[in-house]
Each structure stands twice: as C-alpha cells, then as structure tokens.
Amino acid sequence: MQVYKVGGAVRDRLLGLPVTDIDRVVVGATTEEMLAQGFRPVGADFPVFLHPKTGEEYALARTERKSGRGYGGFTFYASPEVTLEEDLVRRDLTINAMAEDDQQNLTDPYHGQRDLEARILRHVSPAFAEDPLRVLRVARFAARYAGLGFTVAPETVELMRQLSASGELQALTAERSWKEISRALMEDQPQVFIQVLRDCGALNVLMPEVDALFGVPQPETHHPEIDTGLHTLSVLQQAALHKQPLTVRWACLLHDLGKGLTPQEEWPRHIAHEHSGLKLIKAVNERFKAPKDCQELALLVGHYHTHGHRALELKASTLLELLQSFDVYRRPQRFEEFIAACEMDARGRKGLEQRSYPQADYLRGAATAARGVAVQPLLEKGFTGPALGEALKRERLKVLKAYKDAATA
Ligand code: CTP
C-alpha cells in the first residue's frame, strides 16, 4: 500500500502556512489490511481510519462519493484498485486535490499548484456538484485566502450558481451549514464569504434576509455607503479587524435585517427596524441552529443597537431598562459583546472606520455604576421579594441619574 498526504496539509505547506491537520489517503489497501495493522475504523461503513499511535486520519482511496440527495445520500466505493488520480478527481478544489508522498513528491494531476500560484479557487471536475456543502466551503476558502489575493474562477462561480438554483442547498443539514458559516465568520475577511455566496445566488437561498439588504438605501448623513448590504459587509469586516468573537460577528451580520422589510416609500429611513428585524433574526438563528450565545446576542443587538448609538442621549430610566434587558449584573460579558457589536456597526461605514465611539466607555461606566448598588443595605432595611427588586431598581436609577449628570455635564 502507498500512503500520501492530501488536501489542506499539502495546500497549506505549499502556501507557506502552518499545517495543523494532516489527512492521508491510502492506495492499494483493504479494510482488513488496515485493521490488521491496528488502525481504528472511524465509522461503520466509512473507509476512514485513525492511526493507532498518532490518531491521524487515513482514508482509503475512494470513488463515488454520493448516491442521492443531501448528506444522507452518500455511498463510498473503496477498493485497492482505486487509483490516487481517481480519488483526487472527486475532491472539491484543484488546490485541495494534490497529494504528496513521504519525500514530498507531488502528485498534481489537476494543476492545483498552478492555481495556487495564480491565486485561483477552481473546482476539479463536475463531481464538485456531488456535495452542495462545497458552495459554502469555496466561499469560506475565499474568505480565508482573500488576503493572499485568491478569487473564485468564473466557471466555478457558474457551477455554484447552478447548484444554488437546483434546490440542493436546502438539503444541507443545519449542523453542516453552521459549521461552515461559523468557521467562515472567524476568517480574516468574513465579508468575502457573504459576498461570494451572494455572487452565486447561494445567499438568496441560505439567508434571503441578508440578501434582501442589498439595494436598500439608508440616509447618507449617517451612512455614506448608502447601501445596507454593503454596510453589513463593512460591519463584518470591522468585526474581523478588531478580532471580535463569533457571537459578535454573528450579531453584526444580522443586526439590520429589519431594514429589508421597510416599505420602499419610506426609504431611506427605517423607522423601528430594530423591532421588525427580530422575527427575521430569530428565523435565521433557528434555521442554522446557531449556538445559544450567538442567538441571544444577535437578538439583543438587533433590538438595542440604536440605543447603543444614542447612549449619551438616553434618559437614565431608559439606560436602566437597557442594562436590565442585558442582565448586566449576572452577564457582564454579554453586555461587553453588545458594546463591541455597536462599535463595529458605527465603524462599518464608508470613511468612518477610524471614528471614536465614546458611547462604549459611557455604557461601560453606566453598567459599573448600576452594578455598584449594594443589596445588603436594602436587606437591612427589611426589603424582601418583589419589594427588594423595586428598591434595587430605584437605587440603580438614582446612581444612573447621577452618573449621567456627571458624565454629560
Ligand atoms: N473534501 C472535499 N469535499 C468536501 C470536504 C472535503 O473534496 N465537502 C476534500 C478536500 O480535498 C479537502 C480534504 O477533503 O482538502 C480535507 O477536508 P477538510 O479537512 O474538511 O478540509 P481542508 O482542506 O483540510 O481544509 P481546512 O484547512 O479548512 O481544514
């Protein structure tokens, strides 16, 4: 049997990037031979094994990755006769379809190295269409390697467009899609992920609520970029530049969904978009079964981001309501993430990327002031139950009034 490194390990070594995962393909072996050598099978009818010592993945060379619709419809044909070239031709991109042996001799029948040098993400063959998840994968690789100058080949965009139009994307499970989406959002240029999905019509299938933002104008005074879709991309870009966590990036992507619902005659104003957007945010959250912290923050940021921007003008009572809604007493981190998302929203505007955001410190100060109200003295005064809650609120309101007066004097 012959063993080759394949996929990302070869690609990233040639790009001069650190290699984390190493996948290997085994040619000329049977399942029985692998088991006899101590390899542990990964799944019952899946010709993938883990090395007994290193735990690294070894897959038998295989063909026929798919037999039906969706992820369930996969069958594998692995046999010692399957050649390396036959295995590689079933892979997604030419830059992912290279193999190398122990001496770093490259097997590159589909010209992955040429495409690496030309900075092109190109599908290997029509077999690309066997797994619709690859539409998201290509967009994710585009987001990851955009900084190196990579773009998607026009013929690959075309194939992605056909796949998106075919209804195949709907067959993807929430779990598989979320894995790609969340990884893509954590790349250096997550806005490229959304842009590539949009270019091939996949965004309209996966997140029509986000797609609908393109072409929707906003007032030029606050939004020199005007277009809500472009604004959303810029907010996401700012979130990545400022190394924000996934929760914040997810909230940034969804914060303005309500603007897609504004009747055209009201453009470019978007009155109460914070409220109208909530049901859309909820729908996208649930479609991809986003983790609870992502779901929560997206809804809160959607609801309250304009409060964040107007922080210094808010009445003390509104400020208190905001802090209560976030439960800043028990969830300080979540409020920090809200502030971060608001700041990214403020900076994700053409020409305003470097603006200062005094609201951030003001909100932090307000949270600290409200948290500073001690419960003990109120208990000592005999407050209990709901009355204690009311008394706490009154005290917090008092300190917030003083805080506001001092800070805005
Ligand atoms: N592959 C594929 N189609 C998929 C998933 C994987 O063709 N839907 C192939 C590609 O050749 C890929 C390899 O399997 O390079 C390994 O897949 P994976 O580990 O998911 O990705 P990597 O390319 O290693 O990329 P990453 O750095 O994102 O892990």
Side-chain angles (χ1 to χ4, degrees):
M1 66 170 86
Q2 296 109 40
V3 178
Y4 302 88
K5 283 184 195 165
V6 281
V10 181
R11 175 196 72 219
D12 287 341
R13 185 184 71 74
L14 291 171
L15 281 172
L17 299 174
V19 171
T20 41
D21 262 6
I22 302 182
D23 293 317
R24 291 186 174 79
V25 68
V26 182
V27 178
T30 61
T31 295
E32 292 69 31
E33 284 163 346
M34 297 298 284
L35 296 176
Q37 293 199 22
F39 281 89
R40 296 191 307 272
V42 168
D45 31 48
F46 215 66
V48 179
F49 303 84
L50 300 180
H51 190 277
K53 291 215 179 73
T54 64
E56 287 174 342
E57 255 185 50
Y58 287 66
L60 295 186
R62 58 194 191 234
T63 63
E64 292 186 17
R65 277 159 198 260
K66 180 158 180 199
S67 63
R69 210 178 163 85
Y71 194 45
F74 275 78
T75 54
F76 296 94
Y77 175 75
S79 104
E81 287 82 52
V82 174
T83 64
L84 184 58
E85 286 74 10
E86 284 170 333
D87 179 278
L88 295 176
V89 79
R90 297 277 157 187
R91 291 173 182 264
D92 52 5
L93 296 171
T94 60
I95 63 164
N96 288 340
M98 297 181 275
E100 68 183 18
D101 63 17
D102 281 347
Q103 279 78 48
Q104 290 191 348
N105 295 311
L106 201 65
T107 303
D108 181 17
Y110 310 108
H111 310 295
Q113 204 172 16
R114 193 175 67 195
D115 284 340
L116 263 192
E117 276 155 24
R119 305 302 200 221
I120 292 175
L121 303 172
R122 192 196 313 275
H123 67 283
V124 179
S125 77
F128 180 92
E130 290 174 358
D131 182 5
L133 189 75
R134 289 169 170 175
V135 172
L136 283 86
R137 278 176 62 89
V138 173
R140 171 165 67 80
F141 284 119
R144 183 191 293 176
Y145 297 128
L148 296 175
F150 276 84
T151 56
V152 186
E155 66 267 32
T156 302
V157 177
E158 186 47 41
L159 188 54
M160 289 160 71
R161 182 171 298 127
Q162 287 167 21
L163 264 170
S164 304
S166 72
E168 285 272 321
L169 294 181
Q170 279 96 323
L172 293 171
T173 62
E175 288 76 10
R176 285 189 92 207
S177 299
W178 176 256
K179 207 166 155 214
E180 289 301 323
I181 293 166
S182 55
R183 288 185 73 188
L185 289 179
M186 290 313 290
E187 296 292 354
D188 280 350
Q189 304 216 39
Q191 78 283 4
V192 172
F193 175 70
I194 302 297
Q195 184 67 60
V196 168
L197 291 180
R198 177 167 158 76
D199 292 344
C200 70
L203 190 62
N204 186 32
V205 177
L206 296 167
M207 299 185 206
E209 301 86 348
V210 177
D211 200 51
L213 300 178
F214 290 84
V216 173
Q218 308 163 100
E220 197 173 352
T221 37
H222 294 298
H223 286 281
E225 72 288 347
I226 300 176
D227 188 275
T228 312
L230 296 183
H231 164 60
T232 301
L233 296 182
S234 300
V235 178
L236 211 44
Q237 185 174 18
Q238 288 299 316
L241 279 171
H242 288 88
K243 307 276 180 236
Q244 297 296 345
L246 179 62
T247 43
V248 173
R249 297 183 190 206
W250 182 240
C252 285
L253 177 64
L254 305 184
H255 78 285
D256 263 348
L257 292 189
K259 290 183 180 173
L261 295 175
T262 311
Q264 280 200 26
E265 53 277 15
E266 289 178 22
W267 285 359
R269 298 190 65 203
H270 299 280
I271 303 149
H273 73 276
E274 308 86 343
H275 292 101
S276 59
L278 291 179
K279 57 180 183 295
L280 303 185
I281 297 173
K282 187 162 179 279
V284 181
N285 270 338
E286 287 172 1
R287 184 173 316 138
F288 298 108
K289 298 190 183 151
K292 192 157 168 274
D293 55 350
C294 288
Q295 295 209 16
E296 265 181 18
L297 191 72
L299 284 165
L300 285 165
V301 169
H303 197 164
Y304 294 111
H305 62 280
T306 46
H307 275 59
H309 301 330
R310 287 186 288 108
L312 281 91
E313 292 103 68
L314 296 180
K315 289 186 294 186
S317 57
T318 313
L319 204 47
L320 178 62
E321 275 168 39
L322 180 71
L323 299 177
Q324 304 278 101
S325 307
F326 277 84
D327 192 7
V328 286
Y329 318 104
R330 281 182 298 181
R331 305 278 304 270
Q333 182 58 28
R334 188 171 63 176
F335 193 59
E336 270 303 319
E337 292 180 357
F338 163 72
I339 295 173
C342 290
E343 185 168 349
M344 299 306 111
D345 178 21
R347 290 175 187 265
R349 304 174 192 214
K350 199 168 155 215
L352 299 173
E353 295 83 357
Q354 308 297 333
R355 71 179 353 183
S356 62
Y357 195 69
Q359 292 92 327
D361 277 342
Y362 182 78
L363 288 168
R364 279 187 198 110
T368 307
R371 265 199 297 269
V373 172
V375 189
Q376 195 55 33
L378 299 172
L379 287 171
E380 282 164 14
K381 280 187 190 158
F383 287 108
T384 53
L388 176 66
E390 286 307 311
L392 254 176
K393 254 176 130 172
R394 275 196 305 276
E395 289 304 312
R396 284 171 179 156
L397 186 58
K398 232 188 271 173
V399 300
L400 284 175
K401 275 188 180 142
Y403 172 77
K404 181 178 162 64
D405 288 347
T408 55

